[in-house]
Amino acid sequence: MKIAVLPGDGIGPEIVAEALKVLQVFRQEGVGLELEMADVGGIAVERHGDPLPAATLALCQASDAVLFGSIGGPKYDTLARHLRPERGLLRLRKKLDLFANLRPAQVFPELVNASTLKPEVVSGLDLMIVRELTGDIYFGEPRGVVHNAQGERVGTNTMIYSDTEIRRVAHWGFQAAQKRRKQLCSVDKMNVLECTQLWRDVVTELAPEYPDVQLTHMLVDNAAMQLVRNPRQFDVIVTGNLFGDILSDEASMLTGSIGMLPSASLNASGLGLYEPIHGSAPDIAGQGIANPLAQILSTAMMFRYSLQRADLADRVEHAVRQVLQSGLRTADLAQPGQGAVSTSQMGDAVAAAVRQQA
Ligand code: NAD
């Protein structure tokens, strides 16, 4: 199993180093993991003049999975748009055709007080958003700002989805639900947007292929409200790129801890890019205090979705729970008066817990 490791910028290299400790435990047990590092983002601009160098792209294309840290930072904000670190990630997603973005949002019992919502609302929360990632209004043409006949500026973006684009991500939604509590909620805005009427029609057409999954539909405005009113009603949500962007951030904050949430972005052949949902956290980079758990949990998703080793995924997730139960907290999770451990202490503890389960 070949894994491309792209640490990136800011806290990326610090937290990827901790995820590698966990992978090292498996390698010592004889699991065949071949790891190769490459530059991406701001560091790649500095070293190669390109946020996605050709060698990095080639490595990712030749790998079974990509373990991605985070990219960006204030020192790159003044670069020309095509050199910005974010452009490297967007190009990588497009080149690898990573159309299905899986974002679980789970509240660990030990961290229930970290949420801004009442414990009785979020306790036990465990949902997954499947967001379409390569289409919709973010890529639709025509787009841009032009002057009309009256000399006024007019901005245009185009919401567009083909049957095929909807179908392939909807399959991911149904299959994710099959592996969980078998409930799929498809989110659209069919009451005003024809494009999303098509979305609803296509998802509905697929339902007979998954008789064990209960399919419901919800308008996006209601879904945004229901996510804070009663988030535990959801198992898997499948939706388009724009709605998914907003709803997945909302869902992640229900858990109250941005440093805990992993994500997977997958293509049709199972190649996936695995990264924490947070950014490069330049405000804490280099201090050794970042929470590495989202990055470590990203490796669990990698084992489950690209490497077909659910047994190893279970071990990583179990180890994280065990370490939280033992009371270890990085600074972002620690309650006032509770001592905090460093990034590497947290990584060491998880790696040790994984090793113990062998
Ligand atoms: P951010 O997610 O980097 O940070 C937001 C806040 O959360 C900060 O206070 C940060 O210290 C904290 N935080 C984030 N991850 C943490 C962790 N693991 N442990 C402890 N605290 C953590 O968002 P931002 O500050 O808006 O963006 C910073 C940079 O990251 C920007 O350049 C942005 O473009 C980039 N970014 C990259 C990605 C990506 O790599 N996929 C995603 C989002 C933002």
Side-chain angles (χ1 to χ4, degrees):
M1 295 180 277
K2 182 163 175 167
I3 303 166
V5 181
L6 278 45
D9 308 318
I11 61 169
E14 300 170 43
I15 55 178
V16 165
E18 303 312 311
L20 293 182
K21 287 179 184 168
V22 172
L23 298 186
Q24 189 56 20
V25 173
F26 294 135
R27 293 178 82 190
Q28 284 163 353
E29 290 174 13
V31 178
L33 297 175
E34 190 191 323
L35 308 175
E36 197 171 331
M37 315 277 283
D39 292 328
V40 74
I43 189 74
V45 175
E46 286 179 31
R47 291 181 180 161
H48 316 280
D50 183 349
L52 180 64
T56 301
L57 176 60
L59 172 68
C60 294
Q61 285 168 327
S63 299
D64 299 301
V66 180
L67 186 63
F68 194 97
S70 51
I71 49 160
K75 66 174 168 171
Y76 307 118
D77 286 349
T78 50
L79 289 173
R81 205 155 271 283
H82 70 284
L83 290 177
R84 298 259 176 96
E86 297 74 16
R87 205 36 89 91
L89 179 56
L90 288 178
R91 271 171 51 209
L92 188 56
R93 285 176 180 162
K94 199 71 184 167
K95 291 275 185 197
L96 299 179
D97 199 18
L98 304 172
F99 64 85
N101 182 221
L102 277 53
R103 278 205 192 188
Q106 196 183 359
V107 173
F108 289 86
E110 299 77 17
L111 302 180
V112 72
N113 289 318
S115 175
T116 49
L117 296 191
K118 293 181 187 137
E120 57 267 34
V121 175
V122 294
S123 174
L125 175 75
D126 179 11
L127 64 83
M128 163 94 79
I129 295 195
V130 179
R131 166 190 170 195
E132 202 288 330
L133 203 57
T134 52
D136 203 350
I137 197 162
Y138 292 172
F139 295 93
E141 300 281 348
R143 63 188 301 152
V145 179
V146 293
H147 285 89
N148 67 9
Q150 290 74 41
E152 195 185 2
R153 282 175 303 166
V154 179
T156 306
N157 287 95
T158 304
M159 178 175 267
I160 183 164
Y161 265 125
S162 71
D163 202 333
T164 309
E165 286 175 307
I166 301 168
R167 200 172 286 274
R168 62 184 191 169
V169 74
H171 277 300
W172 265 109
F174 279 107
Q175 286 162 20
Q178 276 184 322
K179 293 186 188 124
R180 295 168 45 97
R181 299 191 301 279
K182 301 184 172 44
Q183 291 168 31
L184 179 64
C185 179
S186 172
V187 171
D188 59 46
K189 187 71 182 168
M190 55 73 85
N191 52 344
V192 277
L193 299 172
E194 288 82 353
C195 177
T196 74
Q197 176 68 60
L198 177 67
W199 178 281
R200 185 175 291 211
D201 293 346
V202 173
V203 175
T204 305
E205 285 159 21
L206 294 184
E209 293 181 38
Y210 300 94
D212 51 336
V213 175
Q214 189 198 351
L215 172 67
T216 54
H217 301 274
M218 197 178 276
L219 297 176
V220 64
D221 41 350
N222 187 23
M225 187 267 281
Q226 294 294 338
L227 268 175
V228 284
R229 193 185 76 88
N230 176 18
R232 282 180 306 194
Q233 70 185 281
F234 296 108
D235 178 17
V236 178
I237 292 174
V238 66
T239 190
N241 204 346
L242 174 64
F243 300 157
D245 190 359
I246 299 163
L247 293 182
S248 60
D249 267 23
E250 186 188 4
S252 67
M253 282 321 295
L254 298 174
T255 71
S257 45
I258 196 169
M260 293 296 299
L261 296 171
S263 75
S265 305
L266 295 135
N267 71 15
S269 58
L271 169 66
L273 182 145
Y274 299 85
E275 58 174 332
I277 67 151
H278 59 71
S280 59
D283 53 334
I284 58 166
Q287 298 176 30
I289 59 170
N291 182 351
L293 293 180
Q295 189 77 57
I296 291 172
L297 289 167
S298 297
T299 69
M301 290 193 86
M302 177 177 81
F303 283 122
R304 181 162 285 121
Y305 291 103
S306 282
L307 305 181
Q308 312 312 326
R309 290 295 304 261
D311 55 327
L312 302 184
D314 287 345
R315 276 178 64 188
V316 175
E317 288 165 354
H318 185 75
V320 168
R321 273 196 298 275
Q322 214 178 318
V323 166
L324 290 173
Q325 272 160 16
S326 75
L328 245 54
R329 302 281 185 273
T330 40
D332 55 310
L333 301 176
Q335 300 289 324
Q338 192 181 22
V341 298
S342 68
T343 307
S344 68
Q345 285 170 320
M346 183 59 100
D348 288 341
V350 176
V354 170
R355 191 176 292 112
Q356 265 173 15
Q357 297 161 6

